[in-house]
Amino acid sequence: MDKVVKSIGEAIAGVQDGMTLMFGGFGLCGIPENAILALSQSGVKNITCISNNPGVDDFGLGLLVKNKQIRKMIASYVGENSAFEQQFLAGEIEVEFNPQGTLAERIRAGGAGIPGFYTPTGVGTIIAEGKEHKDFEGRTYILETALKADFAFIKAQKADTYGNLIFNKTAMNFNPMMAKAAKVTVVEVEEIVPLGALDPNFIHVPGVFVDRIFKGQFEKRIEQLTLKKGE
């Protein structure tokens, strides 16, 4: 089944106020920047956003933060976005922090159909408050629940028309697991190739997990630019 859509509007069709949306990426690496821009212009609001972090002030998820379209953020890090900080301190946005590995596993569990799992990470900290504790072989664990979403927006390097995906190096980050944890998975890619052009041995996410594909235009910003002294 050909899953290539003709426009960004068709790619984000169906997103409504109050939905839970996943966004792949790590900082600015491997983010679905075209879909985020379109959502920022769509006016959708009261989003519960699941992503490793909320981006920077004027790019990526920072655009949704700037427009106050996010009601709740489920993340592991929020330290690069001053607008997010201001909204959090003003009580305008809810935050659910997760240790980074816990966040990744909660999403993976959602995609695998596992409702929850036990982990020792966070025991004895604020992360564990209100969660079930259980001992296994003399060590205490806490129960973490799976994460799912109405839509997942991810970015891949290459896709065939049936949605089989290949990611580029660290841009793999949260993208593959999110592709499996949503009702609708939308993928923006750098290149779309004909069915059969990809080596099956190197496909990272099978097309069965993908619903819509489109070719994006990518700015590829550098999140932290560091130069030698004198340059």
Side-chain angles (χ1 to χ4, degrees), residues 32 75 96 114 124 147 174 184 227:
E96 182 180 320
I114 300 169
L147 290 172
F174 285 83
V184 179
L227 302 175

Side-chain angles (χ1 to χ4, degrees), residues 33-202:
E33 61 192 73
N34 294 275
I36 293 171
L37 178 61
L39 288 167
S40 74
Q41 297 168 342
S42 74
V44 66
K45 58 183 182 297
N46 294 324
I47 297 169
T48 293
C49 178
I50 302 172
S51 182
N52 183 62
N53 58 64
V56 295
D57 284 328
D58 60 347
F59 191 67
L61 288 179
L63 297 175
L64 300 181
V65 174
K66 182 180 180 181
N67 294 341
K68 298 187 176 181
Q69 293 171 277
I70 298 175
R71 177 186 62 82
K72 179 179 180 179
M73 186 81 200
I74 301 176
S76 69
Y77 177 67
V78 295
E80 301 291 337
N81 190 317
S82 61
F84 186 94
E85 176 188 7
Q86 293 166 10
Q87 290 179 34
F88 175 69
L89 293 175
E92 297 174 344
I93 190 167
E94 181 183 351
V95 180
E96 182 180 320
F97 275 120
N98 295 257
Q100 196 166 86
T102 297
L103 178 65
E105 183 63 10
R106 291 182 72 189
I107 297 166
R108 192 200 69 81
I114 300 169
F117 59 93
Y118 290 95
T119 176
T121 305
V123 171
T125 73
I126 193 172
I127 294 295
E129 292 182 358
K131 295 177 181 173
E132 180 187 331
H133 288 58
K134 196 166 185 176
D135 290 348
F136 295 93
E137 298 180 342
R139 189 175 186 184
T140 301
Y141 292 69
I142 56 174
L143 177 63
E144 295 282 2
T145 55
L147 290 172
K148 297 181 181 180
D150 296 297
F151 278 78
F153 293 96
I154 66 175
K155 189 250 174 136
Q157 181 187 33
K158 190 178 293 188
D160 65 25
T161 54
Y162 275 38
N164 297 301
L165 306 178
I166 291 177
F167 300 89
N168 184 24
K169 302 181 179 66
T170 56
M172 180 175 284
N173 51 64
F174 285 83
N175 281 303
M177 63 192 75
M178 286 184 174
K180 303 174 184 178
K183 297 174 183 174
V184 179
T185 294
V186 181
V187 187
E188 54 188 74
V189 298
E190 298 177 24
E191 181 182 3
I192 299 175
V193 300
L195 182 65
L198 300 179
D199 184 338
N201 294 304
F202 294 97

